[in-house]
Amino acid sequence: MDKMVLIFGIVLFIVGCIPIAAYLIFRFSPKSTARTSAILRRTKHNKNYILTDIRNRSKFVKHYTTCTYIYVANKKAYKVKDALIGTPKQAVYSLPIVYLKRFPRFYYINDKNGLGKGKFIIYSLLPLAIAVLSIILGISILLKF
């Protein structure tokens, strides 16, 4: 049991480092990335929709649309989901996408501010936090503190 907690922490640490590695590649190795356009394929419209955030606060919106885009990389199609507060007619027909050449599933929507890459840092926070706590717990159990 004590070694399992430590092994779990190490595996989760490795899983948490994958998004950080993708972020670093996007940031510092532009030769490993490619750009393409994702084309709008489907929209799903909801009227009188209630959005809730992390703090469980609700916000009423008149129109909420979920959009599905498709981009092609290495002769294979990949889906991108995006949402907007508005009607389907307000959805953008084409999105600029930046993806890793070797792993096209790792992508971000290329916006003017360059904030799309930041989602990889956010994806890694929870696994890394749990991994560090598991490793500390595993080591303390092994050392019997």
Side-chain angles (χ1 to χ4, degrees):
M1 175 64 186
D2 51 351
K3 291 181 183 177
M4 291 298 290
V5 173
L6 189 61
I7 291 171
F8 173 74
I10 293 170
V11 169
L12 203 56
F13 184 78
I14 293 169
V15 169
C17 286
I18 292 172
I20 290 178
Y23 172 78
L24 292 174
I25 292 171
F26 279 125
R27 177 82 184 204
F28 297 112
S29 182
K31 291 183 284 183
S32 301
T33 64
R35 296 174 187 266
T36 189
S37 294
I39 307 299
L40 181 66
R41 290 294 173 214
R42 186 176 311 136
T43 59
K44 182 181 176 191
H45 179 248
N46 296 312
K47 284 186 88 173
N48 302 329
Y49 193 76
I50 297 176
L51 292 172
T52 56
D53 61 0
I54 295 173
R55 297 182 200 157
N56 212 9
R57 292 183 296 188
S58 299
K59 178 182 176 184
F60 175 80
V61 291
K62 186 100 172 132
H63 299 283
Y64 183 79
T65 305
T66 305
C67 305
T68 303
Y69 295 88
I70 293 182
Y71 69 96
V72 178
N74 301 332
K75 299 178 184 176
K76 190 172 178 186
Y78 297 95
K79 286 184 183 181
V80 175
K81 294 213 177 206
D82 198 20
L84 70 110
I85 297 174
T87 62
K89 289 184 179 181
Q90 295 172 327
V92 179
Y93 181 71
S94 175
L95 286 178
I97 299 290
V98 179
Y99 65 92
L100 295 180
K101 289 179 182 176
R102 293 191 69 186
F103 304 103
R105 286 204 187 275
F106 288 97
Y107 71 91
Y108 70 91
I109 298 172
N110 193 14
D111 55 356
K112 296 176 200 168
N113 304 327
L115 297 175
K117 300 176 249 207
K119 74 177 185 177
F120 293 103
I121 299 294
I122 294 171
Y123 290 161
S124 67
L125 289 178
L126 184 64
L128 286 177
I130 295 173
V132 168
L133 291 175
S134 298
I135 291 171
I136 290 171
L137 180 66
I139 290 173
S140 67
I141 290 173
L142 282 176
L143 297 177
K144 299 193 184 351
F145 279 118

